[in-house]
Amino acid sequence: MFPSLALAYLFLYICIALVVVGVIVLFAMKMSHNGKRRKTAFYELKQRDYFTYLQTALTENSPLKLPPGKLAPLERRVIQDRLIEWIDQFKGEYRDKLIALCREAGFVEHDLKELGRLRYGRQIDAAYRLGGMRCPEAVPGLMELLKDEKPGPMAIMIGRSISRCTTRQGELKDMLALLLTKGKSIHHLAADILLETSLDTSRILIELLEDRNPDFVKVGLVAMWGQAVPEVMPALDRLVGAEHQDVRAEAVKLYLSASPALRDETILKLIQDPDPEVRAEVVQALGSKHASGSIPLLRKALRDEDWRVRYNSAESLSKLGEPGFEALCQAAVQGTVAEREIAMQQIESTMLHTRTDDRAVEQMIAHNKKRLLYDRYFGPVRENRTSKKRTGVATVGGDYTA
């Protein structure tokens, strides 16, 4: 019994000692962190005049001067962080002058050495700073680091640094190939990283859209949103009929948003696509482009098996003035159960939707015309109609506003 009790006491003492040591270590780390914050604030205040000089000298023709005096390691880091912040904000000549100053100050050389260290934390910090300083020499080391990196935020950061540093289009594609192995749904992030490069994005997008790798094509399609690149339109037109379903859907979305007018044969082809996402995008685009001649197609799309297609079709018909609204009324009276449900839902939403702006008079006239059509198909509209949506569909010819 006594040996067991002594062993229990020993275990208890060891646990207490470990807790005390842990508390001491945490306290020491907290003190070290607070001390570093105080020193950082001190150095920022100390270098305030130098930062003011840099902002003024950027607009002059002379090269930027190095900070005066011998600097402590943390003081150098404070200056480097501020320069990287400005490099991200500025472009053109101002950015080039700041990058040249980073090289002259030895920041680039120091971080290139840090990138080759064995400690993972130092490598990651150096990768971030080298990307901020746009250092082409760092690309091979960053590539090796990305190869061994697990999927996660650090892989995204390293890929972004490579995109910022590289001056060769081949290296950019190699980075994308590595990055796309780090996650299944990473195409939007990869497109965002791609646009960080200083290379000509139009050439990169054309090459990606013409690549046989569907992942490259997806990245190129996502990267094209918000980019005015007329040279890629032939490739985009070809991708509308791509074999891969997700590639085709993304290409159709971009094609519909970029094309000022849609050809009839293109509309007929896309609206019969086996992918419901493609059909939904097409019928939505017909309403956004106010294509009143497409009312028969939209009326037919109200019978589609996919609810998104039916919903977008009804919404597009509501945007096409009196003819579109009358088509909705006809669908609510003569259509199938699915047609009547979605059509009536959109009709009620249109009748209850009021806006006041600079075109209030025109909107009032349009609303009154739709109200007359509503009365013709469903009877007079009650003035005390509430905004509560109905959950079902009333009998045809009854009062749908009750």
Side-chain angles (χ1 to χ4, degrees):
M1 177 178 178
F2 289 102
S4 299
L5 185 60
L7 186 62
Y9 276 121
L10 178 62
F11 178 74
L12 182 61
Y13 291 149
I14 292 175
C15 289
I16 292 174
L18 291 175
V19 170
V20 171
V21 171
V23 170
I24 293 173
V25 171
L26 288 175
F27 184 74
M29 292 174 62
K30 180 67 175 178
M31 293 294 293
S32 175
H33 177 70
N34 290 340
K36 186 176 180 180
R37 288 182 60 184
R38 286 194 296 269
K39 286 184 179 180
T40 300
F42 169 75
Y43 288 136
E44 287 178 348
L45 183 62
K46 178 183 175 182
Q47 297 295 334
R48 185 172 58 182
D49 292 339
Y50 179 66
F51 294 146
T52 303
Y53 151 75
L54 289 178
Q55 290 175 312
T56 304
L58 277 174
T59 59
E60 300 174 355
N61 295 327
S62 58
L64 301 176
K65 297 181 180 179
L66 295 173
K70 186 177 181 180
L71 304 178
L74 184 57
E75 190 173 7
R76 288 173 57 86
R77 183 60 50 78
V78 167
I79 295 174
Q80 184 182 12
D81 289 344
R82 182 62 63 89
L83 293 178
I84 291 175
E85 179 184 341
W86 286 347
I87 289 172
D88 287 338
Q89 294 175 357
F90 298 143
K91 294 184 181 298
E93 181 184 355
Y94 293 166
R95 174 182 286 182
D96 294 340
K97 293 177 73 172
L98 291 169
I99 293 174
L101 179 62
C102 287
R103 290 184 175 278
E104 188 177 357
F107 297 146
V108 171
E109 182 181 0
H110 176 267
D111 282 323
L112 284 173
K113 292 179 180 178
E114 291 290 295
L115 189 63
R117 303 286 186 187
L118 295 178
R119 288 181 57 183
Y120 175 74
R122 296 179 115 182
Q123 289 178 324
I124 290 296
D125 290 343
Y128 170 76
R129 292 192 295 269
L130 288 168
M133 293 183 293
R134 276 61 173 178
C135 175
E137 308 96 290
V139 172
L142 291 172
M143 285 287 192
E144 291 298 322
L145 191 61
L146 182 59
K147 286 179 183 177
D148 300 331
E149 186 60 40
K150 297 179 180 179
M154 293 301 103
I156 300 298
M157 184 275 293
I158 297 170
R160 194 178 299 275
S161 292
I162 294 173
S163 180
R164 289 176 169 183
C165 292
T166 186
T167 56
R168 297 172 54 194
Q169 192 165 320
E171 291 177 339
L172 199 61
K173 288 192 68 175
D174 292 340
M175 180 274 295
L176 282 176
L178 284 173
L179 192 62
L180 291 170
T181 64
K182 306 299 180 180
K184 295 181 179 179
S185 303
I186 203 174
H187 300 92
H188 284 77
L189 276 173
D192 181 61
I193 290 171
L194 178 70
L195 296 177
E196 293 272 357
T197 184
S198 58
L199 299 173
D200 183 9
T201 55
S202 62
R203 293 180 56 190
I204 298 171
L205 291 177
I206 292 173
E207 187 169 341
L208 289 178
L209 293 180
E210 293 178 347
D211 199 281
R212 293 184 178 181
N213 187 343
D215 287 324
F216 281 174
V217 177
K218 293 177 195 176
V219 173
L221 289 171
V222 175
M224 274 194 63
W225 285 101
Q227 303 288 320
V229 188
E231 296 88 348
V232 303
M233 290 307 295
L236 184 61
D237 190 33
R238 176 179 56 82
L239 289 172
V240 168
E243 180 181 354
H244 294 275
Q245 180 175 320
D246 46 356
V247 171
R248 187 171 68 253
E250 196 66 38
V252 167
K253 292 179 186 178
L254 193 57
Y255 179 81
L256 293 174
S257 65
S259 299
L262 298 175
R263 294 175 296 181
D264 292 343
E265 57 271 22
T266 303
I267 296 174
L268 290 172
K269 177 183 176 182
L270 294 178
I271 210 167
Q272 296 173 2
D273 194 278
D275 185 3
E277 186 176 357
V278 172
R279 300 197 302 273
E281 290 294 330
V282 173
V283 295
Q284 185 180 40
L286 292 177
S288 301
K289 296 180 182 297
H290 302 285
S292 57
S294 60
I295 289 178
L297 291 176
L298 293 172
R299 178 70 173 80
K300 184 179 180 180
L302 288 175
R303 298 192 294 271
D304 196 278
E305 60 183 12
D306 188 83
W307 71 269
R308 291 171 299 176
V309 180
R310 298 196 302 271
Y311 178 84
N312 287 355
S313 180
E315 193 176 52
S316 292
L317 283 171
S318 68
K319 297 177 181 178
L320 299 180
E322 297 170 59
F325 187 78
E326 186 168 8
L328 282 173
C329 295
Q330 292 172 354
V333 173
Q334 305 168 358
T336 62
V337 175
E339 285 182 87
R340 297 207 312 266
E341 182 178 355
I342 195 66
M344 202 63 220
Q345 180 182 346
Q346 187 62 50
I347 288 170
E348 289 186 345
S349 176
T350 302
M351 295 302 294
L352 294 175
H353 185 59
T354 57
R355 293 181 299 178
T356 57
D357 55 20
D358 296 338
R359 298 179 299 165
V361 176
E362 290 85 350
Q363 289 177 358
M364 185 181 299
I365 294 173
H367 179 77
N368 289 336
K369 290 180 179 179
K370 290 178 181 179
R371 182 170 178 173
L372 290 174
L373 286 171
Y374 185 95
D375 293 347
R376 184 195 307 170
Y377 282 90
F378 310 111
V381 181
R382 292 185 182 179
E383 295 297 333
N384 61 347
R385 181 177 69 243
T386 63
S387 60
K388 183 178 180 180
K389 291 184 178 179
R390 299 192 342 213
T391 57
V393 180
T395 305
V396 175
D399 185 0
Y400 285 88
T401 63

